[in-house]
Structure formats: structure tokens, C-alpha cells
Amino acid sequence: MNFKNKLKKISGGWFFLFCIIFIYIIFLIFNKQIYLDSLSFFNQIILKIIPIFIFVFVLMTLSNYFITPKLIIKHLTEKGLKKWIFAIIGGILSSGPIYIWYPLLADLKSKGLSNGLLVCFLYNRAIKIPLLPLAIAYFNWQYVFVLSFTMIIASIIQGVLLSKVLDKKILQEAK
Amino acid sequence: MENNTFNKSALKAAKSLWLSFPIILGTILLVSLIFVLVPVSFYTFVFSKNSFLDSIIGSIMGSISIGTPATSYIFGGEMLTQGVGLISVTAFLVSWVTVGIIQLPAESAILGKKFAIFRNLSAFIFSIPVAIITVLILRIIS
């Protein structure tokens, strides 16, 4: 089942949105301050993520153009550390809230991207190079370095483990 | 690639984003609401002095918390000054940025229910050994 068909089935997304809007309406009636504060926070996020969405759109377009299921499956069945290094670097370099990356990742997944690599990518999103000075200021460089290193190793272990559980079907199809 | 023109690729990307629009918008609204409802003082109140228990609490708290990694560093740093142990603070930081309970409906709907549950559950479990190993390494090298 491809991404488009899958999303058609989950028109529950609109139901989810309406439920949240309903909760906001309840706060508007009973606690206007929480409603206003939440809406203000919402506005800040929206303004921040619009440029990232444009970036995501460009990446999705490029991925649609260049990345074919054949190409992904070729790399999926490839041996070696290269694909893991790619997932780690990609995760670290990706920016913006996690949920705006879901469509792009789902698109890649529908083209055959391994669940293990996806997990590895998502785990490494936790490491943010631009935020390292802040982390060092609160802790110290040793702590940040060791934590980042441990997390990268953990991302590979988590990816390998989940790949064994979730990728069996994909790998069988690729063979 | 031959039958896949650049315009078609852009249109496909736009359609994918539009189909994800209600989930993404709903998630941002939910994130905003919870961020307002959960005060900073709540986090420092919950932690005790037991490192192991605190690391589990840290992981649970981090899992249900939302915000950028920058926010987690600030929270974590403040917790440390409040006397919360480094293992628990690390578990808190790691689960904050690797587990997404609030985003689970969106992740589940877009990337698959099984994938989302397995990924978040394993990320939660991993946050505890990652915290312990990080602190152990620090103790060894310092």
C-alpha cells in the first residue's frame, strides 16, 4: 500500500484536527487565558516552521524526482556501514519539529526505505549541532560529547533491532 | 525517472503535504496547548533523590514533554541545579528528544502504527541505558 492510499484511508486526520479544535473551543468558553496563551504559542510555532516546510517541500520534490523504489531497494539490500552513516548524518543535519518530517519520511518509506534506517534517522534528530553551545553552557563539553556519541551508537543498535522486527517483509520482497 | 518530470514530482510532493495537513496542524495545536498547561515547576517537583527511580521518572517525563531540544537543555540544566541526579536528567533529556507521545497519533497515521509504537517504546527503554552509560563513561574519563 503506497503513501497516498494509506493517507486516503486515514481521513481520521481531519477528525483528530476537529477534536483538538473542539478542546480549544472548550478552553475559549471556560478559560480564555489558556486559549489565548496556547494560540500565541501556536502562532510562534507556525511562523517558525513555514520556512522549514518550504525546505521539506523542496526535499520531497527532489526525492520524488531522483529517488525511485528501485534505487532505495538497491541500497536497502546493500551491505556495509555507508547507509547507516548516511542516516546518522541526515538525522543530525535535519532541522525543525519532527512532525513536519513525517510526510517526507513516509514518502521514502513507501519507496522502500528500511525501517531500521528510518529509526536511526529519527533518533539522530535529537542531536542538534546549532544547539550544542547551549548544551555545553548548561552542562559541559565532555558531557555533550559523550552523550552525543552514546546516542549515535544507541541509534544504530535501535535501528538494527527494529529492522529485524519490522523489515522482514520488505527484505523478502526485495530478494 | 524518465516518466517522472520535475513538475509531476512537485505536484506529488504538494499533494502529500496537503494530505498530511490536518494531522500536522492538529499536532501543533495540541503541542501548544500542553506546553501552556504544564508549568516548569511541575518537573522539579516530581523528581526525588533515588537515581534509578528518577531515571525512569525522567524518561516518562521526557517522553510526554514537548518542545525543542533547546528547551530540554534548559529544563535539564535547571533540574541539575535543583539537585536532581545526572542519570535522571540525562534520561529526561534523551527521552525528551527521542520519544514523542504527543506526536504519536501523527507518526502512527503517517509512518504506520506498528512502526510508531515500536520506535517510541524502544526509544523510551533505550533512554535509561543511554543515560547510565553516558554517566559511567564520564566517571571513567574524569
Side-chain angles (χ1 to χ4, degrees):
Chain A
M1 187 189 292
N2 65 31
F3 175 54
K4 204 176 168 185
N5 289 336
K6 207 171 182 182
L7 278 170
K8 272 182 183 172
K9 276 189 80 180
I10 51 134
S11 54
W14 286 103
F15 178 73
F16 170 66
L17 177 62
F18 292 139
C19 285
I20 303 296
I21 291 171
F22 181 70
I23 295 169
Y24 267 74
I25 293 168
I26 290 172
F27 275 106
L28 174 65
I29 298 165
F30 296 104
N31 194 329
K32 203 174 178 182
Q33 194 53 49
I34 288 176
Y35 166 82
L36 290 172
D37 289 347
S38 302
L39 218 56
S40 161
F41 196 78
F42 170 79
N43 286 337
Q44 285 174 34
I45 298 177
I46 287 291
L47 289 174
K48 198 167 68 183
I49 67 167
I50 286 172
I52 304 165
F53 255 118
I54 294 164
F55 183 54
V56 168
F57 172 72
V58 171
L59 282 178
M60 284 177 80
T61 304
L62 290 173
S63 106
N64 285 337
Y65 190 69
F66 291 108
I67 303 169
T68 61
K70 216 175 176 180
L71 186 77
I72 292 286
I73 289 169
K74 186 189 159 198
H75 287 287
L76 189 73
T77 51
E78 225 174 34
K79 289 182 179 177
L81 280 172
K82 211 175 173 181
K83 58 186 177 183
W84 292 99
I85 292 168
F86 179 78
I88 291 165
I89 295 170
I92 293 171
L93 295 179
S94 66
S95 59
I98 186 86
Y99 40 85
I100 68 161
W101 283 88
Y102 290 154
L104 174 68
L105 296 173
D107 201 35
L108 289 172
K109 195 182 168 188
S110 72
K111 287 169 182 160
L113 182 75
S114 142
N115 279 303
L117 290 176
L118 206 60
V119 165
C120 183
F121 176 92
L122 289 172
Y123 203 95
N124 280 290
R125 280 184 39 81
I127 303 164
K128 291 277 155 269
I129 292 171
L131 294 176
L132 289 185
L134 180 70
I136 292 166
Y138 266 101
F139 302 92
N140 59 52
W141 69 267
Q142 255 186 342
Y143 175 84
V144 173
F145 178 79
V146 173
L147 178 62
S148 304
F149 176 76
T150 316
M151 286 180 75
I152 289 170
I153 301 297
S155 74
I156 299 168
I157 298 169
Q158 192 197 21
V160 170
L161 287 175
L162 288 198
S163 190
K164 283 189 190 298
V165 179
L166 301 167
D167 282 334
K168 277 178 190 168
K169 202 181 165 186
I170 297 170
L171 286 169
Q172 278 165 1
E173 283 169 6
K175 280 172 189 170
Chain B
M1 208 193 299
E2 300 83 42
N3 300 323
N4 194 17
T5 65
F6 199 78
N7 285 343
K8 274 184 184 173
S9 301
L11 193 67
K12 198 179 165 190
K15 277 182 182 173
S16 293
L17 277 176
W18 172 247
L19 287 169
S20 306
F21 173 75
I23 300 165
I24 292 168
L25 197 67
T27 302
I28 299 170
L29 281 166
L30 187 62
V31 162
S32 307
L33 190 63
I34 292 178
F35 201 85
V36 169
L37 289 174
V38 181
V40 184
S41 56
F42 178 75
Y43 294 94
T44 48
F45 168 75
V46 171
F47 287 93
S48 64
K49 296 283 177 191
N50 181 317
S51 290
F52 182 71
L53 189 67
D54 279 1
S55 68
I56 296 171
I57 297 169
S59 293
I60 295 168
M61 295 297 296
S63 302
I64 57 167
S65 301
I66 359 142
T68 61
T71 323
S72 73
Y73 299 146
I74 296 163
F75 271 127
E78 294 303 327
M79 279 177 188
L80 210 60
T81 58
Q82 296 282 330
V84 178
L86 190 58
I87 291 178
S88 17
V89 169
T90 308
F92 175 80
L93 290 178
V94 174
S95 61
W96 178 303
V97 288
T98 59
V99 183
I101 298 294
I102 300 301
Q103 290 94 345
L104 196 63
E107 184 175 349
S108 188
I110 300 174
L111 294 175
K113 196 176 174 182
K114 200 176 172 185
F115 175 88
I117 291 169
F118 271 90
R119 192 194 73 78
N120 282 285
L121 191 67
S122 59
F124 171 76
I125 295 165
F126 266 64
S127 66
I128 297 165
V130 163
I132 294 167
I133 292 166
T134 301
V135 176
L136 278 179
I137 294 172
L138 282 168
R139 280 179 191 164
I140 290 166
I141 61 171
S142 60

